[in-house]
Amino acid sequence: MQIGLASDRIGRECKERLKARFAGQGHSAEDVCPANVSGAEDYQSITDQLSSAVYTGRVERGVLICSRAIGASVLANKHPGVRAALCHDLHSARQGVQDDGVNLLVIRAVGVTLEFACELADAFVQASYLPCEQEFGMPPRRLARVVEYIRNHLDQPLAVSALSRLAEMSQSHFSKLFKRSTGLAPHQFVLQERINRSKELLRQGNRKIVEIALGVGFENQAHFTTVFGNFVGMTPRQFQRSSGHETSGMFRRALEVEVVPGW
């Protein structure tokens, strides 16, 4: 099995222990974000990276160890195709997979021993989800190809017709399978990705909001502000300030990312 691992600074020792354990069991264990930054919002970036690896099919299961475990679990479940759960006992880790198809296990970095974290991870990895997920949606490689294309062309028009050609499917079949795989219609996914990219740029704090709006594919700042408010519950300027950056034309630097689409 291909297993993705991620952790904040506090969970790093546990992550390394699990990585070695999975490799010893014959699994392919990958640290999806080895060069973590330290900071209060570190869990957001690592959660986004691991969730992305799960829903694009880069890894089959993900294990996240961090101190902000509840927040990470909530954030991970905002990603299409990701079913994350914070588990404190072996039964939950096992049944979450078997009954609900959990594909991302969140472990709290403090409050559990390394030995018990290993037991939780074993229960999670060894459990099987009975429904055949590949019959449920797009083949993983085609889905990954489309998602990568969307992320690399957010500043351009992204029509369903073009995306379906990329996936080598009819438009109607593509739309149906894409929604089954991600939980979102193609245009909703694009909008989500645009908003997530804008969050990343806003956290960096070194560009004007109008430049960010145009750079992620919105026609003007007013439309961007409206859509951003609908998704995030605050204006882009308020979001940037809440990330620790006061704004006055040009912005200072910041930290992280999140994901959501636009048309």
Side-chain angles (χ1 to χ4, degrees), residues 17 21 23 49 51 54 61 94 110 122 136 178 208 232:
R17 173 78 69 89
R21 186 181 184 87
Q49 292 180 65
S51 298
V54 170
R61 304 264 178 99
R94 185 180 303 109
V110 291
D122 284 347
F136 185 71
F178 188 91
K208 293 181 179 179
V232 184

Side-chain angles (χ1 to χ4, degrees), residues 8-249:
D8 61 8
R9 178 172 45 82
I10 297 176
R12 192 169 298 155
E13 181 182 359
C14 182
K15 177 183 66 177
E16 294 301 325
R17 173 78 69 89
L18 291 177
K19 184 177 179 180
R21 186 181 184 87
F22 289 144
Q25 294 170 346
H27 299 294
S28 174
E30 176 187 356
D31 188 345
V32 301
C33 42
N36 292 336
V37 297
S38 60
E41 291 186 330
D42 185 43
Y43 82 97
Q44 295 179 341
S45 178
I46 62 173
T47 301
D48 284 336
Q49 292 180 65
L50 182 56
S51 298
S52 176
V54 170
Y55 81 72
T56 59
R58 177 176 156 193
V59 299
E60 298 172 67
R61 304 264 178 99
V63 178
L64 173 62
I65 311 100
C66 71
S67 55
R68 296 286 297 276
I70 294 177
S73 182
V74 171
L75 180 58
N77 280 308
K78 293 181 180 180
H79 290 256
V82 174
R83 296 173 295 278
L86 168 61
C87 297
H88 299 287
D89 61 272
L90 301 181
H91 176 79
S92 297
R94 185 180 303 109
Q95 294 303 121
V97 177
Q98 294 177 350
D99 297 341
D100 302 303
V102 169
N103 53 17
L104 197 158
L105 172 67
V106 182
I107 300 175
R108 192 163 180 257
V110 291
V112 296
T113 65
L114 291 176
E115 289 72 20
F116 188 64
C118 289
E119 292 182 33
L120 283 172
D122 284 347
F124 168 68
V125 169
Q126 292 168 8
S128 298
Y129 182 46
L130 297 180
C132 182
E133 293 181 308
Q134 292 199 9
E135 294 179 1
F136 185 71
M138 287 181 64
R141 290 184 180 179
R142 293 193 189 189
L143 178 62
R145 184 195 313 161
V146 172
V147 170
E148 182 180 12
Y149 181 85
I150 290 172
R151 289 177 166 174
N152 290 335
H153 297 83
L154 289 176
D155 60 335
Q156 303 173 21
L158 291 166
V160 176
S161 57
L163 298 177
S164 63
R165 285 195 299 271
L166 183 65
E168 301 176 345
M169 296 179 179
S170 69
Q171 189 169 322
S172 60
H173 189 53
F174 167 76
S175 296
K176 179 172 67 175
L177 293 189
F178 188 91
K179 186 170 184 178
R180 286 180 179 176
S181 293
T182 66
L184 297 171
H187 72 279
Q188 294 172 322
F189 183 87
V190 173
L191 184 59
Q192 177 177 284
E193 288 293 321
R194 285 180 167 147
I195 294 300
N196 283 342
R197 178 68 59 77
S198 73
K199 285 183 176 182
E200 177 182 3
L201 297 173
L202 287 166
R203 288 192 183 106
Q204 291 173 1
N206 55 5
R207 296 174 63 181
K208 293 181 179 179
I209 291 177
V210 64
E211 293 176 349
I212 293 175
L214 299 176
V216 298
F218 289 92
E219 294 183 358
N220 52 60
Q221 182 176 339
H223 183 215
F224 169 60
T225 298
T226 298
V227 175
F228 190 94
N230 290 337
F231 272 90
V232 184
M234 64 180 73
T235 67
R237 194 176 302 277
Q238 289 170 333
F239 177 84
Q240 193 168 50
R241 286 173 175 164
S242 72
S243 298
H245 299 278
E246 294 298 328
T247 61
S248 57

